[in-house]
């Protein structure tokens, strides 16, 4: 800083304003120069000005004395005494101020003032005469000690979490190894019996049939034929199926669960079925030795708790927000168990702890019965596509079906759901809106109303099919029951693990012909049953003509594909269609019966109400039965 000069030319001592600036003087407590402002308070400034004034006074007195001594000695003496008295008063004033500066002749040279650290202003109580003592050193030590204790607690918590995670992983690995051991044992037993003979099975417990009032037993469940390979060497699919029962339901699980579990066992070569539930399963099928069907009990409220915890972790929500999400999630799932399906797209993230040993994961519904799935799943679908879904021929609507959608188990695919607002950044608001909507409708006395259910077939399908770098296939391989009333022109027959959809006619279906064509699907090459009969043809989708249950902005319609035997391929947001033909082995009796991957009881089950068992024939075997809109029935004896 340049030296300041007085009006008479006497230089002001350097160093007085060296450590301050106008920015320091007028900076707020939040200013970046707060430290400088605290180092030079206003009291120090006044003290420095007084020191400067005193020094100038002394110099002027000496100068004045030398000039006037030769002319008017008496007047000079009086003036000098007056100036000296005035200087003494200034010095006394300076002495009475707090000593926060000193006159230095050392580092700064002669006549340089150096500011010392001024004490902080007294607290408010001190201004009122109250003695306050602030032991800064003790407080700092207490804070440091508390910080060390918190760090120790955090380390202990992380260690416990790591231990729990390792135990969970070991338990899952043990269960997986046990399942593989069961498969190997059954394969060995099957190979030791000529023709893959029966391994024996226990009789089912009697089940009441409300309509007949009888107490007959289910037919003994035939042994599930196992492939010699046991498990596929390259691929493994986990179908994640959480189930929450309604509060007023007569059953904790759907009554057709044994048919689903037993028919699903025929896909042991390639697929594991993970059925998550809350509390014990009220059916002995849960204890049956099915090699690829696992019943996983998460305890009361466990599914909602798992959803809330994992979604909050992935979305990095603060702890208070995560707790609120858990409360709201549990409320809405207990009130409307069907809303579990809304979070299907996030299953790869929610259940990731159970999916570490799988190349693919998928979601499905519990209202299905399965056929020989490994016969229909193609190797190219698992290796060349990121997402594969099976339709029933309704190609006028392009979306991911809730009955069968399989994903590659990689982060790029597992995080697609985060592109949907109601699942990611808007999750908390959507949960809040659901609860407010329920309270509002119930306050008006309404019991049946729209539940704000946002299907995965809407936003998630749109996000997936428009994700750059993603390749999706929609294949026509499932059957569905769409007749809510009246008679259906087609019925389902399940024999030896194969599922057939047969047209009704004047003659009964030839079951022996179906049995002969129902062979196990054990080809690890996974050649599939469809052959492309044309090149890929690009087309444009619209928002009209399909998907009335989903918001219009998510509809992807292709009305010109309705009723056509074609598959759809989507790559980088561009849509292509391709004609395909089924293998001749999928059709018997001159096309009267056709084999499919699985059957979806979409509208048929709505006839059965809550399911008191009246529509299930107690004598029907779980993997050899006849299914119609009226229920499950046994097959005629051979």
């Amino acid at each position: 800083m340049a030296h300041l000069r007085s009006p008479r030319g006497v230089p002001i001592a350097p160093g007085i304003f060296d450590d301050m600036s106008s920015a320091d003087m007028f900076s707020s407590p939040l200013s970046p120069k707060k430290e400088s402002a605290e180092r030079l308070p206003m009291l120090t400034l006044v003290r420095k000005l007084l020191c400067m004034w005193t020094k100038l006074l002394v110099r002027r007195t000496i100068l004045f004395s030398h000039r006037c001594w030769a002319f008017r000695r008496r007047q000079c003496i009086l003036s000098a005494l007056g100036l000296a008295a005035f200087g003494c008063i200034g010095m006394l004033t300076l002495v009475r101020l707090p000593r926060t500066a000193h006159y230095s002749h050392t580092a700064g040279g002669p006549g340089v003032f150096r500011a010392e650290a001024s004490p902080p202003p007294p607290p408010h109580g001190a201004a009122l005469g109250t003695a306050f003592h602030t032991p800064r050193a003790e407080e700092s030590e207490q804070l440091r000690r508390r910080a060390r204790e918190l760090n120790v607690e955090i380390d202990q918590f992380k260690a416990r979490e790591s231990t729990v995670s390792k135990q969970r992983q070991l338990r899952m690995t043990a269960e997986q190894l046990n399942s593989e051991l069961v498969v190997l044992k059954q394969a060995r037993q099957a190979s030791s019996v000529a023709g893959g003979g029966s391994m024996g099975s226990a009789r089912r417990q009697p089940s009441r049939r409300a309509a007949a009032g009888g107490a007959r037993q289910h037919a003994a469940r035939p042994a599930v034929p196992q492939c010699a390979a046991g498990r596929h060497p390259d691929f493994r699919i986990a179908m994640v199926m959480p189930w929450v029962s309604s509060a007023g339901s007569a059953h904790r699980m759907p009554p057709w669960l044994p048919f689903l579990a037993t028919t699903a066992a025929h896909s042991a070569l390639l697929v594991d079925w993970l059925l998550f539930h809350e509390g014990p399963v009220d059916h002995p099928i849960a204890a049956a030795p099915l090699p690829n069907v696992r019943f996983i009990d998460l305890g009361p409220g466990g599914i909602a708790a798992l959803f809330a915890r994992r979604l909050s972790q992935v979305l990095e929500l603060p702890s208070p927000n995560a707790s609120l999400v858990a409360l709201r999630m549990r409320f809405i799932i207990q009130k409307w168990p069907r809303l579990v399906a809304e979070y299907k797209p996030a299953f790869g993230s929610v259940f990731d702890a159970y999916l570490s040993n799988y190349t693919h994961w998928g979601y499905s519904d519990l209202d299905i019965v399965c056929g020989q799935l490994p016969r229909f799943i193609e190797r190219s679908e698992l290796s060349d596509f990121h997402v594969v879904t099976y339709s029933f021929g309704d190609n006028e609507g392009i979306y991911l079906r809730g009955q069968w959608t399989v994903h590659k188990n990689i982060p790029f695919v597992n995080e697609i759901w985060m592109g949907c607002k109601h699942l990611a950044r808007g999750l908390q608001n959507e949960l809040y809106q659901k609860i407010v909507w329920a309270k509002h409708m119930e306050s008006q006395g309404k019991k049946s109303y729209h539940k704000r259910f946002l299907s995965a077939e809407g936003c998630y399908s749109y996000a997936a099919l428009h994700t750059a770098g993603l390749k999706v296939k929609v294949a026509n391989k499932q059957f569905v029951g769409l007749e809510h009333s009246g008679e259906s022109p087609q019925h389902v027959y399940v024999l030896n693990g194969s599922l057939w959809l047969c047209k009704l006619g004047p003659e009964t279906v030839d079951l022996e012909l179906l049995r002969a064509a129902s062979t196990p699907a054990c080809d690890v090459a996974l050649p599939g049953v469809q052959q492309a009969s044309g090149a890929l043809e690009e087309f444009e989708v619209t928002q009209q003509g399909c998907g009335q249950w989903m918001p219009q902005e998510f509809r992807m319609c292709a009305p010109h594909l309705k009723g056509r035997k074609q598959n759809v391929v989507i790559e980088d947001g561009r849509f292509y269609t391709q004609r395909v033909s089924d293998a001749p082995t999928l059709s018997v009796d001159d096309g009267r019966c056709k084999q499919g991957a699985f059957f979806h009881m979409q509208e048929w089950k709505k006839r059965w109400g809550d399911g008191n068992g009246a529509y299930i024939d107690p004598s029907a075997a779980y993997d050899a039965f006849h299914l119609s809109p009226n229920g499950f029935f046994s097959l005629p004896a051979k």
Side-chain angles (χ1 to χ4, degrees):
M1 180 177 179
H3 289 183
L4 300 178
R5 303 189 67 84
S6 68
R8 292 296 184 98
V10 179
I12 300 176
I16 295 179
F17 295 100
D18 287 353
D19 296 331
M20 62 179 295
S21 65
S22 59
D24 293 328
M25 294 171 59
F26 300 103
S27 61
S28 67
L30 299 179
S31 170
K33 297 188 177 182
K34 176 183 176 183
E35 182 181 356
S36 177
E38 290 180 350
R39 188 171 63 247
L40 194 62
M42 186 60 67
L43 190 61
T44 303
L45 178 62
V46 173
R47 184 182 62 255
K48 287 194 173 188
L49 291 175
L50 287 176
C51 291
M52 180 185 68
W53 176 79
T54 303
K55 181 179 178 181
L56 291 176
L57 182 61
V58 171
R59 290 189 177 185
R60 286 178 180 274
T61 302
I62 296 173
L63 181 62
F64 181 78
S65 299
H66 283 289
R67 287 182 178 179
C68 70
W69 183 260
F71 301 98
R72 298 180 180 180
R73 183 174 302 177
R74 183 178 179 181
Q75 185 176 359
C76 289
I77 292 174
L78 294 176
S79 299
L81 291 175
L83 291 174
F86 192 75
C88 290
I89 295 174
M91 292 298 296
L92 290 175
T93 304
L94 181 63
V95 171
R96 293 179 64 87
L97 290 174
R99 298 188 60 186
T100 57
H102 65 275
Y103 192 75
S104 174
H105 291 273
T106 56
V112 178
F113 279 84
R114 294 297 178 189
E116 296 178 352
S118 60
H124 182 67
L128 299 177
T130 305
F132 276 82
H133 177 63
T134 307
R136 291 182 176 270
E138 291 80 352
E139 290 180 359
S140 300
E141 181 60 28
Q142 290 178 0
L143 291 175
R144 284 192 291 269
R145 183 170 58 255
R146 181 55 182 161
R148 289 193 297 268
E149 293 174 355
L150 290 176
N151 288 331
V152 172
E153 292 179 5
I154 292 173
D155 293 339
Q156 293 176 351
F157 176 78
K158 289 182 178 179
R160 287 195 299 269
E161 286 292 312
S162 177
T163 302
V164 172
S165 177
K166 290 179 180 179
Q167 291 176 350
R168 186 187 301 114
Q169 190 69 27
L170 289 174
R171 184 166 55 253
M172 293 172 55
T173 303
E175 293 177 358
Q176 187 72 24
L177 292 175
N178 288 335
S179 300
E180 295 179 5
L181 182 60
V182 171
V183 172
L184 292 175
K185 287 182 178 179
Q186 293 179 349
R188 183 177 180 181
Q189 293 176 2
S191 62
S192 63
V193 179
S198 174
M199 295 162 51
S201 58
R203 301 281 293 181
R204 297 290 170 192
Q205 296 295 326
S207 172
R208 291 185 179 274
R209 186 183 182 190
R216 294 178 294 172
Q217 290 184 333
H218 275 284
R221 180 174 62 85
V224 178
Q226 299 294 331
C227 298
R231 294 169 62 88
H232 197 279
D234 301 324
F235 305 107
R236 197 70 188 168
I237 304 173
M239 296 304 294
V240 181
M241 305 175 71
W243 174 264
V244 180
S245 58
S246 301
S249 176
H251 298 271
R252 295 186 61 86
M253 302 294 287
W256 59 81
L257 175 66
F259 297 92
L260 164 62
T262 307
T263 56
H266 290 275
S267 58
L269 174 69
L270 196 59
V271 185
D272 283 345
W273 301 78
L274 310 183
L275 276 67
F276 296 88
H277 57 95
E278 300 180 342
V281 178
D282 54 352
H283 199 284
I285 193 65
L290 301 175
N292 64 324
V293 181
R294 296 173 53 194
F295 289 85
I296 304 172
D297 186 3
L298 298 181
I303 292 178
L306 178 61
F307 279 14
R309 182 174 70 253
R310 288 298 299 129
L311 291 177
S312 298
Q313 291 174 350
V314 174
L315 298 175
E316 299 181 350
L317 299 181
S319 179
N321 300 57
S323 300
L324 194 58
V325 167
L327 292 174
R328 291 174 175 173
M329 184 76 72
R330 183 164 186 171
F331 174 83
I332 65 168
I333 288 182
Q334 286 181 344
K335 193 172 189 63
W336 305 317
R338 182 171 177 262
L339 287 182
V340 169
E342 184 171 314
Y343 304 96
K344 282 182 177 181
F347 281 3
S349 298
V350 172
F351 296 95
D352 59 343
Y354 300 89
L355 305 177
S356 58
N357 295 326
Y358 295 94
T359 60
H360 295 73
W361 67 271
Y363 52 74
S364 182
D365 292 333
L366 267 74
D367 58 340
I368 65 171
V369 288
C370 301
Q372 295 282 359
L373 279 165
R375 175 173 289 122
F376 293 85
I377 300 174
E378 303 173 14
R379 175 177 285 269
S380 63
E381 293 177 349
L382 301 180
S383 60
D384 299 340
F385 293 89
H386 297 94
V387 182
V388 178
T389 188
Y390 289 169
S391 71
F392 58 88
D394 54 335
N395 290 335
E396 67 273 14
I398 314 298
Y399 57 92
L400 304 180
R401 270 60 176 181
Q403 298 77 45
W404 183 272
T405 297
V406 174
H407 308 69
K408 273 190 176 180
N409 191 15
I410 56 177
F412 167 60
V413 176
N414 295 350
E415 296 174 357
I416 297 174
W417 62 272
M418 299 183 71
C420 291
K421 181 179 179 180
H422 72 284
L423 296 176
R425 63 186 184 278
L427 173 65
Q428 300 177 75
N429 180 66
E430 180 60 31
L431 293 175
Y432 171 76
Q433 294 295 337
K434 281 180 167 60
I435 295 176
V436 170
W437 177 252
K439 298 292 186 182
H440 172 69
M441 299 304 291
E442 291 176 358
S443 66
Q444 298 180 356
K446 297 182 179 180
K447 295 183 178 180
S448 178
Y449 52 90
H450 185 265
K451 307 301 189 298
R452 286 184 62 94
F453 173 70
L454 302 176
S455 173
E457 296 170 346
C459 175
Y460 180 62
S461 297
Y462 188 89
L465 272 55
H466 289 83
T467 298
L470 200 74
K471 193 173 182 180
V472 183
K473 179 180 180 180
V474 183
N476 183 0
K477 296 183 181 181
Q478 70 159 294
F479 296 145
V480 62
L482 298 175
E483 296 81 15
H484 184 62
S485 61
E487 184 56 56
S488 172
Q490 297 173 319
H491 286 188
V492 176
Y493 295 86
V494 175
L495 302 95
N496 298 337
S498 297
L499 185 145
W500 300 88
L501 186 66
C502 299
K503 299 177 182 178
L504 298 182
E507 299 180 358
T508 59
V509 175
D510 189 347
L511 298 182
E512 292 303 321
L513 192 61
L514 296 183
R515 286 191 180 94
S518 300
T519 57
C522 298
D523 191 350
V524 295
L526 303 178
V529 293
Q530 290 183 340
Q531 183 68 33
S533 57
L536 291 173
E537 300 177 4
E538 188 172 1
F539 66 94
E540 298 291 335
V541 296
T542 66
Q543 295 181 343
Q544 302 295 331
C546 70
Q548 300 301 318
W549 67 92
M550 67 178 71
Q552 185 173 359
E553 63 266 25
F554 300 137
R555 297 176 190 170
M556 294 168 286
C557 305
H560 65 285
L561 297 181
K562 186 175 183 179
R564 296 186 182 181
K565 184 66 175 180
Q566 294 181 332
N567 291 341
V568 177
V569 174
I570 304 95
E571 186 172 5
D572 290 330
R574 304 178 68 177
F575 294 75
Y576 304 88
T577 183
Q578 186 176 39
R579 293 185 178 89
V580 294
S581 58
D582 292 335
T585 55
L586 296 185
S587 179
V588 299
D589 199 3
D590 295 330
R592 180 182 180 183
C593 297
K594 294 183 178 180
Q595 189 176 171
F598 60 90
F599 181 82
H600 179 212
M601 301 176 286
Q602 179 173 328
E603 299 297 328
W604 287 10
K605 69 177 185 296
K606 296 179 181 179
R607 303 185 180 194
W608 307 333
D610 186 43
N612 56 8
Y615 57 89
I616 296 179
D617 184 354
S619 63
Y622 293 141
D623 64 348
F625 55 88
H626 168 210
L627 176 60
S628 75
N630 297 320
F632 295 81
F633 301 93
S634 61
L635 296 175
K638 295 183 181 180

